Amino acid sequence: MTEIAKIAIVDDEVHIRALLEQTLEDLDGEPEILTAANGAEGLALIERERPQLVFLDVMMPLMNGYEVCAAVRSNPDLAATTIVMLTAKGQEADRTRGLETGAHHFVTKPFDPDEILDLAREILQAS
Amino acid sequence: MNQMVNSTSIKTRLLLVIVAALVGMLAVSTFALMSEKSTMLDDRKVKTRHLVEAAYGVLVHYYDLQKTGALSEEAAKDAAIKDIKAMRYGQNDYFWLNDFTAPIPRMVMHPTVSALDGKILDSEKFNCATSLQAGLDGTVEKTDGKKNLFVAFNEVANKAGSGFVTYNWPKPKAGGGTTDELYSKLSYVKKFDGWNWLIGSGIYIDDVESIFWQRATWLITIVLFVAVLIGSLMLVLTRSITAISERLGKSNAELEEANQRLQKLDQMKSDFLSSVSHELRTPLTSIRGFSQLIDREFTRSFAPLAEEDAGLQKKSVRIQENLKIILKESERLTRLINDVLDLAKIEAGHTNWHDAPLQAAVLIKDAAGAAHGMFEQKPAIELRLEIEEGLPLFIGDADRMQQVLVNLINNAVKFTDQGMVTVKVFLNPEAQIQIEVRDSGIGFPQEEAEAIFDKFQQAKQGDTLQDRPKGTGLGLAICREIVNRHGGRIWAQSQPGKGSVFSLILPPAAESLVKTVEITARIAAFADGERTAAGAISGKVGKPKVLVVDDDLAVCNYFSQLLQEQGYEVITAPDGQAALVAARSHQPDLITMDLSMPVMDGRTAISLLRADTELKRIPIMVISAIPGWEAAGGDVAMSKPLDETRFVENIHLLLNDAAASGAAEPKKVHFLVLYQEGQPPAMVPGGFAAYCEVGFCPVNELSARIQAGFQGMVAIPADLLNQVDIGFINATPSLEVMIMPVPAMGVAASLIQVTQHPQETKQGEHL
């Protein structure tokens, strides 16, 4: 892995974005962390920056997480992007819907920052 | 609208009932009248006969006086004639006497036609149609011609001494004399041998009829009166019923409206809860996450700086402790939110239940495994399982029942400091599956045994909560909801200081389901038979290779270790795409597949593997944390956390299958599911995936398949059973057919085993 990893955080809550940013700062290789405050902005960011990993909130204004996820999955250029959905519900139906739209992982809020860190490490290692 | 229809239909029904009742009453009274008519005539016949016998007594009396010499014959006869002439009864009825002289008798005395007295009765006017019955039981003989009726009397008397005769005779008039017209009359005559006389008396049939009609009129009047009474009562009733039903309809509509309002409220409650839960989660995430980050950074960067100063160090320890409290409490709040949401979902009926036949023993073992961590924290408590063998299955949601058991076991551990937690399962005397979780903990007063299943209720000691609440206070309420939903019951027994017992009963699955499980076993046995036959030929060399696909490195290592212990060679891949590459290069004997993975998920990987001619034969075991039964296209599905024993068992099973696949013969049971063309197949053999190669076949193509040499099992949904030409299958001598009822996935069906005898196949070649 010669180039610097890129991670996108798409969430409308400023504190959650801050929390994720601070959590991910501990990653080795100091990956570039990009943020977006709504779905539409998030999709534009992902298409422009092509991050390896996206943390994607479900309930957001303008475009929800499922829609962003489906749009990313339908774009063959973004096949290498791993999507981790941050769901507030953790309900089975939401998981199924997320899996159908092409999300790879689910993290239920409130999450454990260590869990996020482990997950990110693993995903970045695999890619 | 609806209640209008209802009240009209009630009215119509009531009217129908009234009409039916009236018709019924009329029929009954007509029948009663008819039988009354014939009984009345019979009664009169008997009465007449008795009266004649009585008058006969008069003759005997005077004849006796004559014989003793008290009276001369003349005097005796005169006295008798006088007495009998005076005897009258009924409306017009009297006795007459005539001589028994042949061929034509002579009248001795006739009280109403005295002109006949002493005359030979040879007048032609006595010639009429008669019907004769000699004696009491003699057959009735009818003469329609002109027969002298006094000769007819003689004939009857000669035959049996007495008898009945029907004929026509004038009626006596009120002022004396007789009518001109003749009336039908029934008389009883009896021969008196002493003076060679015949005594007779009769009744006019129309007299009887007129009495009958009098009575009938009365009866009909009463019947009509009663009918009118009932009718009007019914009408009144109809009115009030209509009124009541309209009122009911109205209150029904009100109830319906109230119900809809309640449903709306319920929906609002659910929506409210789910949005509140969402809104609460976001700040909770911040609280939890940031306190953790602060804790980490503080421990890493600031705590070492404080080590030099004793006062600062004390403060730094306090800060760390306080941060831990924030963390713990945020965790508790999270659990509470989860439980509230969970309970609300179950109560609102929004839960998706994944029902399947379950074994209580397996569930208990799984739950004990899941609660393992709790026991590690409290080494003074021992866990004991007492499991009865051969318990019936029950229908339920495995994850939810697991939740109940884990909760009960956790509670037991929570409130016990040392001793024993026993989980017991047995069949109780009512033939229900009973599970008991018994602990030797602090217990609670029996009066609270009901209340602890209510929301936010925990057993108290005195008025104060003992210690602080250990849990959300919703666990048992959720347990009760889940157990109730399974048609079972949960209750508790306890005494302070003596420990407590939580019991739950579950109804066993219906017989038909047990059948399904039997069938699975049968299919497995059938498959085993083929396998051993094939396995004998294909001795495979070398260690079997297993490809473990999972994005979690820890899981991969864990599986690898487990499989290596079993003597397998293990390759690992972190995602679906890597799995495809590894499968092509290593040609594994088995693949275990996670479903949610980066780059390519398990579902896609399985469909690609199945589409590849070289790789499609590799058995796939799906291991996923996603609840549900579905195998996502794999052969067997297992859920995380993994049951090690079952994992290894299933691996063995699938590898045996694969070993047999080396031979030319098929290694799985060919399983045909029939369906009606144009309609989707009704049966999907969910649990059979490990043993069956399932094909779907329209019902009318079954014959063709069998002729083409199909061997295996045929599953026929019950609604198609009549359309399957089983006769055809039987008619072929080369086929062995076995039919067995199979209820699969709730659809009753039949299972036919088709086996072809080799020598008979030769016969087929001749054809």
Side-chain angles (χ1 to χ4, degrees):
Chain A
M1 231 199 301
T2 45
E3 66 182 287
I4 293 170
K6 278 181 188 170
I7 302 176
I9 298 167
V10 187
D11 197 312
D12 56 329
E13 290 280 342
V14 61
H15 300 309
I16 304 289
R17 286 202 301 273
L19 175 63
L20 284 168
E21 260 182 285
Q22 291 185 27
T23 305
L24 296 170
E25 273 169 14
D26 267 16
L27 281 172
D28 301 328
E30 289 179 16
E32 189 181 342
I33 296 170
L34 313 150
T35 60
N38 64 52
E41 201 184 300
L43 184 60
L45 178 79
I46 296 164
E47 281 172 346
R48 194 175 62 238
E49 301 286 341
R50 297 192 188 181
Q52 283 91 329
L53 174 59
V54 179
F55 286 96
L56 185 61
D57 188 28
V58 174
M59 286 165 107
M60 283 183 299
L62 296 182
M63 202 174 180
N64 72 30
Y66 299 131
E67 289 163 349
V68 174
C69 188
V72 170
R73 278 292 142 259
S74 65
N75 184 346
D77 290 346
L78 299 174
T81 303
T82 302
I83 294 176
V84 176
M85 282 211 143
L86 304 172
T87 154
K89 294 177 192 165
Q91 305 294 320
E92 203 178 290
D94 298 328
R95 275 180 179 258
T96 315
R97 193 167 161 205
L99 277 178
E100 276 165 5
T101 50
H104 300 93
H105 295 272
F106 280 86
V107 174
T108 309
K109 285 183 190 172
F111 47 77
D112 180 345
D114 288 341
E115 192 188 333
I116 294 282
L117 208 53
D118 288 348
L119 193 62
R121 265 193 203 116
E122 222 176 88
I123 291 166
L124 293 180
Q125 249 169 37
S127 62
Chain B
M1 194 66 200
N2 204 19
Q3 67 258 32
M4 291 255 299
V5 174
N6 273 346
S7 69
T8 353
S9 79
I10 288 174
K11 245 190 224 168
T12 332
R13 260 182 258 166
L14 260 176
L15 277 175
L16 273 177
V17 168
I18 294 171
V19 170
L22 287 179
V23 168
M25 274 175 75
L26 278 176
V28 167
S29 47
T30 314
F31 179 76
L33 281 173
M34 288 301 133
S35 69
E36 172 68 9
K37 197 173 165 186
S38 70
T39 21
M40 265 179 76
L41 201 62
D42 284 345
D43 284 354
R44 292 306 296 266
K45 266 172 90 175
V46 172
K47 223 175 251 172
T48 310
R49 185 166 66 81
H50 286 317
L51 287 164
V52 169
E53 304 280 356
Y56 181 86
V58 174
L59 294 180
V60 172
H61 168 70
Y62 287 109
Y63 183 70
D64 282 351
L65 287 178
Q66 175 202 331
K67 272 183 126 179
T68 53
L71 285 173
S72 67
E73 186 181 343
E74 205 68 19
K77 277 183 178 175
D78 281 346
I81 287 169
K82 202 179 148 212
D83 277 7
I84 285 171
K85 195 173 184 171
M87 288 167 77
R88 291 292 168 96
Y89 65 96
Q91 279 172 301
N92 300 304
D93 306 320
Y94 52 87
F95 299 88
W96 81 90
L97 296 162
N98 66 267
D99 239 347
F100 210 63
T101 43
I104 309 290
R106 189 174 58 89
M107 182 60 78
V108 173
M109 178 279 291
H110 196 286
T112 61
V113 198
S114 46
L116 287 176
D117 288 358
K119 296 270 167 60
I120 296 286
L121 300 161
D122 57 355
S123 164
E124 277 196 8
K125 64 181 179 193
F126 300 135
N127 293 351
C128 60
T130 54
S131 90
L132 318 176
Q133 184 190 4
L136 293 177
D137 312 317
T139 49
V140 177
E141 177 189 322
K142 286 198 169 147
T143 62
D144 52 349
K146 309 246 170 209
K147 182 166 196 133
N148 183 301
L149 67 99
F150 291 97
V151 175
F153 292 151
N154 278 3
E155 273 178 27
V156 167
N158 267 332
K159 261 189 202 158
S162 66
F164 290 98
V165 181
T166 311
Y167 54 97
N168 295 326
W169 194 259
K171 265 190 193 178
K173 274 197 208 156
T178 55
T179 55
D180 290 336
E181 62 270 50
L182 304 176
Y183 295 89
S184 176
K185 190 170 180 176
L186 171 72
S187 291
Y188 183 73
V189 292
K190 191 175 166 82
K191 192 180 162 194
F192 177 61
D193 288 319
W195 293 325
N196 211 23
W197 281 359
L198 189 122
I199 181 165
S201 181
I203 44 170
Y204 290 92
I205 287 169
D206 64 335
D207 286 352
V208 178
E209 273 175 356
S210 76
I211 294 171
F212 161 76
W213 279 116
Q214 256 174 25
R215 289 196 194 172
T217 315
W218 267 108
L219 193 66
I220 288 170
T221 315
I222 292 170
V223 164
L224 278 178
F225 178 72
V226 170
V228 168
L229 198 74
I230 291 177
S232 40
L233 271 176
M234 288 280 210
L235 274 178
V236 171
L237 208 67
T238 320
R239 288 235 179 93
S240 51
I241 284 179
T242 315
I244 289 169
S245 70
E246 267 164 17
R247 221 177 307 149
L248 272 180
K250 222 182 258 168
S251 48
N252 231 350
E254 278 163 17
L255 273 179
E256 184 67 27
E257 217 182 290
N259 196 20
Q260 273 173 3
R261 266 206 308 272
L262 276 178
Q263 272 176 2
K264 218 186 219 167
L265 275 176
D266 200 50
Q267 186 60 45
M268 275 167 71
K269 181 183 132 190
S270 299
D271 292 348
F272 173 74
L273 275 170
S274 94
S275 55
V276 161
S277 126
H278 176 256
E279 293 308 317
L280 285 176
R281 271 167 209 272
T282 309
L284 252 179
T285 310
S286 296
I287 295 170
R288 183 183 164 170
F290 281 115
S291 43
Q292 207 157 332
L293 288 186
I294 292 168
D295 182 42
R296 188 190 299 160
E297 265 169 35
F298 186 82
T299 313
R300 216 186 275 162
S301 331
F302 291 90
L305 295 179
E307 266 167 21
E308 283 144 32
D309 183 320
L312 274 180
Q313 199 185 358
K314 206 175 160 195
K315 277 196 178 145
S316 113
V317 168
R318 167 132 358 131
I319 289 172
Q320 278 172 314
E321 277 172 4
N322 291 351
L323 277 169
K324 292 255 151 56
I325 292 173
I326 296 176
L327 265 175
K328 270 249 157 67
E329 292 299 286
S330 67
E331 272 163 22
R332 201 171 121 217
L333 208 47
T334 309
R335 276 203 307 277
L336 182 63
I337 291 168
N338 287 341
D339 279 0
V340 166
L341 203 66
D342 202 18
L343 188 59
K345 258 185 79 172
I346 296 176
E347 281 179 343
H350 293 162
T351 315
N352 293 326
W353 300 91
H354 300 281
D355 278 345
L358 301 176
Q359 280 177 287
V362 173
L363 275 182
I364 288 174
K365 282 178 194 159
D366 288 352
H372 188 63
M374 293 277 292
F375 287 94
E376 275 182 350
Q377 282 171 22
K378 284 191 172 182
I381 311 173
E382 192 191 328
L383 173 69
R384 184 186 283 176
L385 303 184
E386 290 177 16
I387 293 169
E388 197 174 285
E389 293 297 317
L391 285 175
L393 301 172
F394 72 96
I395 304 296
D397 184 314
D399 292 330
R400 288 301 191 167
M401 284 312 298
Q402 180 101 328
Q403 186 183 350
V404 171
L405 292 172
V406 170
N407 201 310
L408 292 180
I409 296 173
N410 279 350
N411 267 353
V413 177
K414 225 183 275 172
F415 295 105
T416 307
D417 285 329
Q418 59 173 10
M420 187 98 77
V421 171
T422 312
V423 186
K424 192 175 164 184
V425 60
F426 57 97
L427 202 65
N428 71 11
E430 282 90 51
Q432 286 181 308
I433 299 159
Q434 184 161 342
I435 300 174
E436 281 179 8
V437 179
R438 183 185 297 269
D439 64 55
S440 57
I442 55 168
F444 52 85
Q446 184 62 34
E447 306 91 80
E448 292 176 16
E450 291 243 355
I452 53 166
F453 288 99
D454 293 338
K455 288 169 220 171
F456 301 113
Q457 287 283 334
Q458 282 193 335
K460 295 168 197 168
Q461 257 172 2
D463 277 336
T464 48
L465 278 167
Q466 47 100 42
D467 207 352
R468 57 186 194 89
K470 300 177 177 179
T472 62
L474 287 173
L476 286 175
I478 294 173
C479 284
R480 186 172 57 182
E481 288 291 333
I482 294 172
V483 171
N484 286 352
R485 188 263 160 196
H486 284 79
R489 197 162 64 80
I490 186 166
W491 70 97
Q493 283 163 297
S494 185
Q495 242 181 313
K498 297 250 170 97
S500 38
V501 187
F502 283 81
S503 310
L504 62 97
I505 48 173
L506 294 162
E511 194 77 12
S512 56
L513 239 142
V514 178
K515 267 261 154 65
T516 309
V517 176
E518 272 171 23
I519 284 296
T520 317
R522 270 179 47 78
I523 293 173
F526 186 78
D528 270 343
E530 297 224 328
R531 208 174 283 141
T532 30
I537 314 163
S538 72
K540 221 179 148 144
V541 199
K543 278 186 190 175
K545 263 185 250 171
V546 180
L547 171 61
V548 174
V549 188
D550 203 306
D551 54 332
D552 188 328
L553 206 69
V555 172
C556 274
N557 288 339
Y558 170 58
F559 286 179
S560 302
Q561 210 176 323
L562 266 179
L563 291 167
Q564 275 156 359
E565 277 170 20
Q566 297 295 321
Y568 298 128
E569 194 183 324
V570 183
I571 315 136
T572 62
D575 60 66
Q577 210 149 47
L580 283 176
V581 176
R584 279 199 197 96
S585 56
H586 292 275
Q587 293 284 334
D589 299 281
L590 178 91
I591 299 173
T592 75
M593 183 75 74
D594 185 19
L595 281 190
S596 70
M597 285 182 297
V599 187
M600 184 191 284
D601 64 77
R603 208 179 285 266
T604 316
I606 292 171
S607 58
L608 289 176
L609 280 167
R610 291 300 194 216
D612 189 316
T613 41
E614 267 179 61
L615 305 175
K616 72 174 176 192
R617 288 196 153 199
I618 304 174
I620 298 171
M621 177 191 281
V622 173
I623 303 170
S624 167
I626 303 165
W629 258 60
E630 38 152 13
D635 298 285
V636 165
M638 297 205 68
S639 63
K640 290 179 189 169
L642 202 65
D643 178 323
E644 282 182 24
T645 333
R646 275 195 283 163
F647 172 67
V648 171
E649 270 172 21
N650 277 331
I651 294 270
H652 283 320
L653 188 76
L654 287 173
L655 279 174
N656 281 341
D657 274 341
S661 75
E665 289 302 310
K667 74 285 179 190
K668 282 188 172 188
V669 176
H670 288 239
F671 199 99
L672 270 193
V673 176
L674 296 194
Y675 67 95
Q676 181 121 45
E677 242 168 334
Q679 285 174 14
M683 192 187 115
V684 179
F688 303 154
Y691 317 108
C692 303
E693 201 142 273
V694 182
F696 293 96
C697 161
V699 70
N700 51 9
E701 277 175 23
L702 177 64
S703 315
R705 291 264 189 139
I706 287 169
Q707 272 178 331
F710 170 81
Q711 296 194 40
M713 298 266 185
V714 181
I716 307 166
D719 55 333
L720 286 181
L721 207 52
N722 293 334
Q723 297 168 43
V724 179
D725 195 359
I726 292 166
F728 161 77
I729 306 173
N730 265 333
T732 316
S734 63
L735 290 171
E736 216 172 64
V737 176
M738 201 149 45
I739 301 173
M740 224 178 183
V742 184
M745 310 295 280
V747 181
S750 265
L751 196 65
I752 299 178
Q753 182 178 314
V754 184
T755 322
Q756 221 147 9
H757 292 306
Q759 68 265 42
E760 248 83 38
T761 325
K762 274 181 209 153
Q763 274 186 8
E765 284 170 9
H766 289 300
L767 292 167

